[in-house]
Amino acid sequence: MPWEDIKLNDGRKIPGVSFGSSRHSGQDTAATVDEAIHAGFDSIDTAQIYRSEGAVGRAIKESGIARDDLWITTKWSGLKPAEDSIKDSLEALGTDYVDLYLIHFPGVAKDDIPGAWEKLEKFKKEGHAKSIGVSNFDISQLKELLASAHIKPAVNQIVFHPNVLPTQAPLLEFLQKHNIAVEGYSPLAPLWQDKGTPVFKVVEGISKDLGIPVEQVLLAWSRAKGVIPVTSSSSKDRIESFIAAGDVKLSDEQVKTIDKAGYKGHKQAELRRKATVAAKWLAAAGLVSYWAFSKLSQV
């Protein structure tokens, strides 16, 4: 597999790319995950709330690949207490441990981040989770966790693609400073959004210059930023393209060009948002003025 493993702060190594199952909760999930495993993905990401753990477990079992040769991530999504959640997840996945267990989002902690993290530390000590981490935590929430943690989070999984770089850059810097690995979900989001955005145009241009699919450019960009992409597809060709992206290396200039496009697109989006808000206020003010004028005319 061309994607290099990444060493975590607990000494373990996580694969450099992961296949996500959040979009695959139907009856074809097992087949899609099986396709990903045989294409070369040895890291599968799921969660309690995705309702895909059972299908992921079946795919792993039917793959014929040894459990220790796969990296399985799942998450405590808050549907049940932590102890019940990890028990249910392990049963659904058909394994007695997961490689990475995450608090899915800060709200799961119910205003008690230290208490929630203590539960994950317990799961690690008991061997139910080899590594532990969080997802969707911001800097302030991470500081609160780190202030009382006995075990540092190995990973923070966050949304990450060029269009959110301006908002996520400070968090990325904080995580890298504290040696917490970053997994980035929705790395291909610019391909689903408006194709007239600066990022799409730049990525499309690099894709043509290198003679590779646009998704490979975005995945290579994530890796260049030090982020482990978590991506997904139900297309065999696309899945194989994700694996092949491990061989793609962008130049420093290409990475910077994508970065700049992300900042430009973010600025344009902010200007559009402000213009929309202003237009709504003007419309509202116009209605109020019309109403007031109508009342005065009746006097």
Side-chain angles (χ1 to χ4, degrees):
M1 184 176 179
W3 289 87
E4 295 180 2
D5 292 347
I6 306 298
K7 190 172 182 179
L8 301 177
N9 58 30
D10 61 7
R12 303 183 69 235
K13 289 184 177 181
I14 184 173
V17 67
S18 183
F19 188 81
S21 64
S22 63
R23 296 170 56 199
H24 305 288
S25 56
Q27 59 182 1
D28 296 330
T29 302
T32 302
V33 173
D34 181 75
E35 191 81 64
I37 291 173
H38 285 93
F41 276 96
D42 51 11
S43 176
I44 307 298
D45 181 276
T46 183
Q48 181 187 35
I49 205 170
Y50 299 163
R51 309 291 187 185
S52 62
E53 290 174 323
V56 169
R58 289 195 299 277
I60 291 169
K61 182 178 180 180
E62 294 168 5
S63 72
I65 296 175
R67 169 66 186 88
D68 290 347
D69 291 335
L70 293 171
W71 180 284
I72 305 174
T73 296
T74 194
K75 310 175 189 76
W76 173 28
S77 303
L79 302 182
K80 291 183 178 182
E83 293 79 2
D84 294 332
S85 293
I86 195 164
K87 179 181 177 182
D88 288 353
S89 292
L90 293 176
E91 184 176 342
L93 290 164
T95 181
D96 56 4
Y97 73 93
V98 289
D99 294 277
L100 180 61
Y101 196 62
L102 307 176
I103 298 176
H104 203 160
F105 43 88
V108 173
K110 296 181 178 178
D111 298 322
D112 184 15
I113 288 175
W117 184 248
E118 188 176 359
K119 295 181 187 300
L120 264 68
E121 291 183 331
K122 180 173 178 283
F123 297 157
K124 179 175 173 63
K125 292 173 183 176
E126 292 173 342
H128 298 315
K130 300 291 186 181
S131 296
I132 53 176
V134 295
S135 180
N136 300 303
F137 273 50
D138 63 24
I139 293 175
S140 64
Q141 291 152 352
L142 287 163
K143 285 181 176 179
E144 182 180 354
L145 187 157
L146 290 170
S148 63
H150 295 95
I151 301 172
K152 182 186 289 188
V155 169
N156 186 18
Q157 188 179 116
I158 60 175
V159 60
F160 193 77
H161 54 79
N163 285 334
V164 298
L165 178 61
T167 55
Q168 295 292 54
L171 176 56
L172 183 63
E173 182 180 355
F174 179 88
L175 291 166
Q176 291 173 340
K177 177 182 177 181
H178 289 270
N179 193 25
I180 299 172
V182 187
E183 284 191 311
Y185 62 85
S186 298
L188 307 183
L191 305 185
W192 318 327
Q193 299 168 356
D194 182 4
K195 293 187 178 181
T197 61
V199 167
F200 187 89
K201 291 179 179 179
V202 167
V203 168
E204 188 176 45
I206 294 173
S207 163
K208 291 178 180 177
D209 290 343
L210 298 180
I212 59 175
V214 285
E215 64 266 19
Q216 291 188 7
V217 176
L218 285 167
L219 294 176
W221 176 83
S222 286
R223 183 172 63 178
K225 303 301 290 184
V227 175
I228 302 164
V230 180
T231 188
S232 186
S233 178
S234 56
S235 163
K236 179 181 178 181
D237 290 343
R238 203 83 181 274
I239 291 171
E240 291 175 347
S241 178
F242 296 159
I243 294 298
D247 288 325
V248 177
K249 182 172 175 57
L250 302 179
S251 69
D252 291 343
E253 188 57 38
Q254 287 168 330
V255 172
K256 289 177 182 177
T257 301
I258 296 173
D259 290 354
K260 290 177 181 177
Y263 278 91
K264 182 178 179 181
H266 179 75
K267 185 176 181 179
Q268 289 178 351
E270 271 297 294
L271 290 173
R272 285 195 298 270
R273 185 187 66 79
K274 290 178 180 178
T276 300
V277 171
K280 287 180 179 178
W281 275 106
L282 285 172
L287 287 172
V288 170
S289 298
Y290 176 78
W291 177 83
F293 178 77
S294 298
K295 289 295 183 182
L296 288 171
S297 298
Q298 295 171 9
V299 175

